[in-house]
């Protein structure tokens, strides 16, 4: 079955317990580095806004797209249903993104709103159709 894998030891150095193959370890590391790069880009956009109290429209679009892509990625690789609901409820980014989307919904451009709607939907599509088939070979 899809979620009945043997638990790996997380205590091994360099995350080796999280993946049995070199490619799996590389993908974990790549994800962490991508996350760090996006955080730096967001800091570049948000820091002047915090300093001056003003943000330009492009900054809002970048902020919205970043949060929508995080949600899409989180939805794409969430676990089985009972665990997924709990992990999504405890995810700080979900609360931050929800607050951002509902408090500033009129600020970003319509193109940004469309992209922000499509990213989580694509994440759910990947979770339901592509992820189980490609990773676990479930048809």
């Amino acid at each position: 079955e899809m979620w009945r894998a043997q638990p790996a030891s997380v205590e091994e150095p360099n995350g080796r317990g999280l993946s049995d193959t070199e490619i799996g370890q590389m993908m974990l590391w790549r994800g962490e580095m991508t996350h760090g790069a996006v955080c730096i880009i967001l800091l570049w956009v948000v820091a002047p806004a915090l300093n001056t109290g003003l943000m330009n429209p492009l900054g809002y679009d970048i902020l919205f797209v970043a949060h929508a892509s995080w949600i899409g990625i989180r939805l794409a690789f969430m676990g089985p249903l009972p665990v997924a609901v709990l992990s999504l409820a405890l995810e700080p980014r979900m609360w931050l993104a929800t607050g951002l989307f509902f408090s500033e919904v009129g600020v970003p451009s319509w193109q940004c709103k469309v992209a922000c709607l499509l990213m989580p939907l694509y994440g759910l599509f990947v979770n339901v159709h592509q992820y189980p088939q490609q990773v676990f070979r479930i048809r």
Side-chain angles (χ1 to χ4, degrees), residues 74 83-92 94-95:
R74 186 70 180 92
V83 175
V85 172
L86 181 62
S87 67
L88 289 175
L90 296 176
E91 178 76 36
M94 294 299 283
W95 291 101

Coordinates of all heavy atoms in Angstrom, one line a residue, residues 74 83-92 94-95:
R74 N 2.5 22.2 -0.5 CA 2.1 21.5 0.7 C 0.9 20.5 0.4 O 0.9 19.4 0.8 CB 1.7 22.5 1.7 CG 1.3 21.9 3.0 CD 2.6 21.4 3.7 NE 2.3 20.8 5.0 CZ 2.0 19.5 5.2 NH1 2.0 18.7 4.2 NH2 1.8 19.1 6.4
V83 N -3.9 12.3 8.7 CA -2.7 13.0 9.0 C -2.6 14.3 8.3 O -2.2 15.3 8.8 CB -1.5 12.1 8.7 CG1 -0.2 12.9 8.9 CG2 -1.5 10.8 9.5
A84 N -3.1 14.4 7.0 CA -3.0 15.6 6.2 C -3.8 16.7 6.8 O -3.4 17.9 6.9 CB -3.5 15.3 4.8
V85 N -5.0 16.4 7.3 CA -5.9 17.5 7.9 C -5.2 18.1 9.1 O -5.1 19.3 9.3 CB -7.2 16.9 8.2 CG1 -8.1 17.9 9.0 CG2 -8.0 16.5 7.0
L86 N -4.6 17.2 10.0 CA -3.9 17.7 11.2 C -2.7 18.5 10.8 O -2.5 19.6 11.3 CB -3.6 16.5 12.1 CG -2.9 16.9 13.4 CD1 -3.8 17.7 14.2 CD2 -2.5 15.6 14.1
S87 N -1.9 18.0 9.8 CA -0.7 18.7 9.5 C -1.0 20.0 8.8 O -0.3 21.0 9.0 CB 0.2 17.8 8.6 OG -0.4 17.6 7.4
L88 N -2.0 20.1 8.0 CA -2.4 21.4 7.4 C -2.9 22.3 8.4 O -2.7 23.5 8.4 CB -3.5 21.1 6.3 CG -3.0 20.5 5.0 CD1 -4.2 20.2 4.1 CD2 -1.9 21.3 4.3
A89 N -3.6 21.8 9.4 CA -4.2 22.7 10.5 C -3.1 23.3 11.4 O -3.2 24.4 11.9 CB -5.2 22.0 11.3
L90 N -2.0 22.5 11.5 CA -0.8 23.0 12.3 C 0.2 23.7 11.6 O 1.2 24.2 12.1 CB -0.2 21.8 13.0 CG -1.2 21.0 14.0 CD1 -0.5 19.8 14.6 CD2 -1.6 22.0 15.1
E91 N 0.1 23.8 10.3 CA 1.1 24.5 9.4 C 1.0 26.0 9.6 O 0.0 26.6 9.2 CB 0.9 24.1 8.0 CG 1.8 24.7 7.0 CD 3.2 24.1 7.0 OE1 3.3 22.9 7.2 OE2 4.2 24.8 6.9
P92 N 2.0 26.7 10.1 CA 1.9 28.1 10.2 C 1.7 28.9 8.9 O 1.0 29.9 8.9 CB 3.3 28.5 10.8 CG 3.8 27.2 11.4 CD 3.3 26.1 10.6
M94 N 0.0 28.0 6.4 CA -1.5 28.0 6.0 C -2.2 29.1 6.7 O -3.1 29.7 6.1 CB -2.1 26.6 6.4 CG -1.5 25.4 5.6 SD -1.7 25.6 3.8 CE -3.4 25.1 3.7
W95 N -2.0 29.3 8.0 CA -2.6 30.3 8.7 C -2.2 31.7 8.2 O -3.1 32.6 8.1 CB -2.4 30.2 10.2 CG -3.0 29.0 10.8 CD1 -2.4 27.8 11.1 CD2 -4.4 28.9 11.2 NE1 -3.4 26.9 11.6 CE2 -4.6 27.6 11.7 CE3 -5.5 29.7 11.1 CZ2 -5.8 27.1 12.1 CZ3 -6.7 29.3 11.5 CH2 -6.9 28.0 12.0

